[in-house]
Amino acid sequence: MTWADFYLICFGVGFLLSAVSFIAGGFRWHLHLPHLPHFPHSGGHAGGGHGPMTHGNSGGGAGAHNNQSPVSPFNFVTMTAFLAWFGGTGFLISRFSSMWFALGLLIAAGAGTLGATIVFLFLMRVLISREENMDSADYEMVGVLGRISMPIRENGTGEIIYSQAGTRRTCGARSENCCALQKGAEIVVTRYDKGIAYVRLWDDINNEELKTEN
């Protein structure tokens, strides 16, 4: 086997595995929209028993994200990229140049490292969100502040609208106290079960907390 054959095999294997990894989605790529923190909460999932809530943005659970890179530079995708660039460069040098093989090997290794670095940076800056490691509290329903978008009748089901993970969402809702709630009323989710949010009026919870503090 000649050096040209060796490089060509490296290029073929690296290119094929790189293509397979991209097509099959072997790497976890996610595009997350910027998210908005929801209102902090404490206590159980039943009505009442909530800690103080603030009527506005808070640096609660959504503020403490892990800023470390979620991806190691030494992974399957970068290794296959290295192999493809190493093999391709080495093949061209060995086939169309009379360069000493050791120098050609060094240049091919440098090209492979460059290719792997480019792929890694591409993954980090384009395909992988900086917020890949999101706090599970970002999607916690209990404590979310929203408004009634479809009136809730007594012992009936309506709909609420709220913002979470940077997206405006809707959800089926029932009153925690089984009372009627009018459209536009500001509410807080106190319990979430089987796709239904159980809510209470924000004013009711706020008044209870003020009485407790006094």
Side-chain angles (χ1 to χ4, degrees):
M1 177 183 292
T2 64
W3 278 103
D5 294 334
F6 170 73
Y7 287 129
L8 187 59
I9 291 174
C10 289
F11 170 76
V13 172
F15 181 81
L16 179 61
L17 293 179
S18 294
V20 169
S21 66
F22 274 93
I23 295 174
F27 214 79
R28 293 191 309 126
W29 299 323
H30 302 281
L31 291 176
H32 292 299
L33 296 175
H35 70 282
L36 299 175
H38 64 262
F39 301 92
H41 62 276
S42 61
H45 283 193
H50 288 268
M53 293 184 180
T54 57
H55 194 270
N57 287 346
S58 166
H65 291 297
N66 184 0
N67 291 325
Q68 296 180 351
S69 169
V71 180
S72 168
F74 301 100
N75 56 70
F76 181 76
V77 176
T78 55
M79 294 300 291
T80 56
F82 171 86
L83 200 59
W85 285 56
F86 168 79
T89 303
F91 176 77
L92 293 176
I93 292 176
S94 63
R95 189 66 181 268
F96 302 105
S97 173
S98 57
M99 185 181 299
W100 183 41
F101 81 93
L103 181 58
L105 183 65
L106 183 62
I107 294 175
T113 302
L114 176 63
T117 301
I118 292 174
V119 170
F120 175 71
L121 293 177
F122 176 73
L123 293 175
M124 291 300 298
R125 297 184 181 183
V126 178
L127 297 179
I128 299 177
S129 170
R130 292 174 57 188
E131 297 173 347
E132 177 70 17
N133 293 336
M134 299 183 73
D135 195 324
S136 59
D138 292 331
Y139 295 95
E140 174 63 57
M141 283 295 294
V142 178
V144 167
L145 182 67
R147 290 186 181 276
I148 302 293
S149 57
M150 183 179 296
I152 300 176
R153 294 176 296 178
E154 185 175 352
N155 294 317
T157 301
E159 186 180 74
I160 62 171
I161 186 169
Y162 61 98
S163 293
Q164 192 176 64
T167 305
R168 179 163 292 188
R169 303 166 185 259
T170 60
C171 178
R174 296 175 64 92
S175 171
E176 184 73 77
N177 299 326
C178 300
C179 60
L181 298 176
Q182 299 301 315
K183 180 178 180 179
E186 196 169 24
I187 52 83
V188 175
V189 177
T190 57
R191 182 162 58 97
Y192 187 75
D193 184 39
K194 297 179 180 178
I196 298 294
Y198 291 81
V199 303
R200 294 183 62 192
L201 290 174
W202 161 261
D203 289 338
D204 290 349
I205 294 178
N206 194 36
N207 290 337
E208 288 180 3
E209 290 175 353
L210 291 177
K211 290 180 181 179
T212 301
E213 292 175 0
N214 294 332

